[in-house]
Each structure stands twice: as structure tokens, then as C-alpha cells.
Amino acid sequence: RDCVIDYVESRQARVRKAATRACTRLLSSAALSSLAKESGHGRQQHRRRRSNVSSSMGDAQRISPPSTSTTITPVITMDNRESLSSASHPESLGILAKNVPSSSISMSSQPSAGTALMSVPAIKRLRSDVYLLLVKILPIAVADPDGEIRLTALRGLGSPGFEGYLAQPECLKKLLLCLHDEKLSVREATVCLVGQLSSKNPAHSLPALRKFLMELMVVLRCEGDALRRQQSHAAKLLSLLIRDAPRLVRPYVQPILSVLIDRLRDARNMGDTE
């Protein structure tokens, strides 16, 4: 990976594209292997913790028998009310306790193994080497002069295993810049990627996606033949946003439907089925 990353800054576009694709594939495999090792380590720890708790509870039961202390709950009825009022010393309480029904006596018991165990989720740690290389690939997706290379970088970043890295605030800030790329395919890939990351880090992704949604709605509300191409692009981006960020779009379903119905009605009146 360290050898390939140097070629992403080559002057030849073909070399930069190939290096970007190779580097993202290598990083994806490394991130997936790290996640697999982390999940396997977490399952082993949980299994070891469960066996330790079970063995300690078994030793405690073998050493000391369960406690049989009783808690007496005094029951006041018409029959024993006079006895309670006439009781003047502790011995009378012992006589009264014999008349208490067995259903009112609670036996103290040991906690079960199920209540003593607590499921502790495995902590997903990020590899510093993978993160540092991803930070070098992100500027390519944002500022490379070739649109195909920007698209290749974004598609590579969408590979499995990068969610935890790209959900970091520093990476999200750079990815959100691609929402305003001049190429439609780059914007589409960015909407898909950031929409999927919105569930990982909603605090840093949903405000920018909400602003982007409002911009799309403004474009769709405008009328005129000059904006027909922009409205077509906005409709495509809106469909991807609905698919990949439903949590964001849910409160705006009614205005989205109304503006889309208006645009469909205008297209039908003009005989355009695009």
C-alpha cells in the first residue's frame, strides 16, 4: 500500500486512476480483516467472561449453601388484630409468626447466572495506517482535475470496511464538498456514500444533507425551460437521497410529493416524458 499511494499524485491520469483503484482495494481488504479480527476477539472475551462468571458462581454454591433466611411480613387480619394490640414483649411476636401463612414468607435466593451476565459489545478500533492512507485518497475525490478519477476514488471509498473511518468528522467534511461537484456521476456517488454514513455520524452529516435537500427542492420548484436539465439532475439526486437517507427525508415527504407532482404535470402538458 505504501508503494502504491505514491502514484496517486502522478502527472498521468491513467496512472493516477489505476493507483487510486488499487489503493482503495488494498485498504478495503485490510480494514475488513481488522474488523474480522476485532469481532473474533470480542466474541472470545465474551465467551471467557461468561465461563468465568459461571465457574465462580459454581464455586460459591459448593462452598456455602444458599441462605435460608426468611423475611416475615406481618399480616393484619380481624383475627390477629387484638393479638397485635395486646403484644407487649417480643416473645408474643414469635407466637404470632407461627400463624402467618407460608405464602407471605419470602425466601432470599442467589442471583441467576443470566442476570449476572451483561453483554458488552466489542469496541471497534480504527487502524491508524488505514486512516492515514484514506486521508491521502480523500483529496483526490475532491480536487483531482479529472472527473473519472474523482469518481473512481469515491466508488473505491464506498467499499465495505471504510464506514468507521469515513464517519469521522474530518473525513466527512471533505466528502461533503463532493456534493457540489460539476459532474453528475460524482454527485450521485457522493449522495449514496454520505447517505449511508448518515446513520454512523448523524450529527456531522444530516445538517449538510438537509441543506442539500433544500437546494434540490428550490431547483425543482422553479419553472422554465432553461432549468429542465438541472431539474432532471435534481430529481435523480433526490431519488438517491430518499433511498440512502430515509431518516432525513421522512419529515419532508409531503412537500417533496407536491413539487414532484407539479413537475410531472408540467411535463405531461408539454408532451415531455423524460
Side-chain angles (χ1 to χ4, degrees):
R1 298 191 301 267
D2 297 334
C3 298
V4 176
I5 196 64
D6 295 334
Y7 290 95
V8 297
E9 299 179 357
S10 175
R11 295 183 179 181
Q12 299 182 9
R14 183 178 59 182
V15 176
R16 293 200 309 272
K17 184 176 181 180
T20 301
R21 185 184 294 110
C23 194
T24 51
R25 289 179 179 177
L26 292 172
L27 290 177
S28 177
S29 60
L32 287 176
S33 63
S34 177
L35 290 176
K37 291 180 181 178
E38 184 67 26
S39 60
H41 182 66
R43 285 194 297 268
Q44 290 178 0
Q45 283 186 343
H46 179 71
R47 210 176 291 117
R48 191 180 301 111
R49 191 182 299 110
R50 189 183 184 91
S51 62
N52 291 338
V53 171
S54 301
S55 60
S56 61
M57 291 184 62
D59 295 339
Q61 290 179 356
R62 286 194 298 270
I63 293 173
S64 61
S67 176
T68 57
S69 61
T70 60
T71 302
I72 300 177
T73 304
V75 180
I76 301 175
T77 61
M78 295 297 297
D79 298 334
N80 59 17
R81 183 175 298 174
E82 295 180 357
S83 300
L84 281 174
S85 61
S86 61
S88 57
H89 49 81
E91 288 77 8
S92 61
L93 293 177
I95 298 173
L96 180 60
K98 298 180 180 180
N99 299 325
V100 177
S102 59
S103 61
S104 63
I105 300 177
S106 62
M107 305 291 294
S108 64
S109 60
Q110 297 290 336
S112 61
T115 56
L117 286 175
M118 296 179 62
S119 60
V120 181
I123 301 176
K124 305 298 183 183
R125 295 180 178 87
L126 302 181
R127 291 180 51 173
S128 59
D129 55 345
V130 175
Y131 181 76
L132 292 176
L133 291 177
L134 278 180
V135 171
K136 294 182 179 180
I137 295 176
L138 279 171
I140 301 173
V142 177
D144 195 276
D146 194 332
E148 290 295 330
I149 297 178
R150 297 196 302 270
L151 181 60
T152 301
L154 284 172
R155 288 176 176 173
L157 293 175
S159 303
F162 290 151
E163 295 86 356
Y165 300 90
L166 297 178
Q168 302 302 314
E170 296 80 6
C171 297
L172 270 177
K173 289 179 182 178
K174 297 178 180 179
L175 279 177
L176 292 172
L177 297 175
C178 299
L179 290 174
H180 303 281
D181 194 272
E182 61 181 1
K183 194 170 183 178
L184 176 62
S185 58
V186 174
R187 297 201 300 271
E188 290 177 350
T190 306
V191 169
C192 296
L193 183 55
V194 179
Q196 295 171 3
L197 295 175
S198 61
S199 60
K200 304 290 184 181
N201 191 349
H204 290 85
S205 59
L206 288 182
L209 288 178
R210 188 176 296 110
K211 181 181 178 181
F212 184 69
L213 174 61
M214 294 299 105
E215 294 174 356
L216 296 179
M217 294 292 292
V218 169
V219 174
L220 290 173
R221 284 196 181 99
C222 296
E223 298 180 359
D225 297 338
L227 295 176
R228 289 179 61 186
R229 183 178 179 84
Q230 288 81 351
Q231 288 177 349
S232 177
H233 293 174
K236 291 181 180 179
L237 294 173
L238 181 59
S239 64
L240 296 175
L241 197 60
I242 294 172
R243 185 193 66 184
D244 294 318
R247 178 182 176 183
L248 169 70
V249 181
R250 193 173 294 115
Y252 306 99
V253 171
Q254 189 60 38
I256 289 174
L257 286 177
S258 62
V259 70
L260 289 178
I261 290 173
D262 292 341
R263 296 287 73 80
L264 289 174
R265 188 179 293 113
D266 294 343
R268 185 184 60 181
N269 295 334
M270 298 178 61
D272 187 6
T273 60
E274 183 181 357

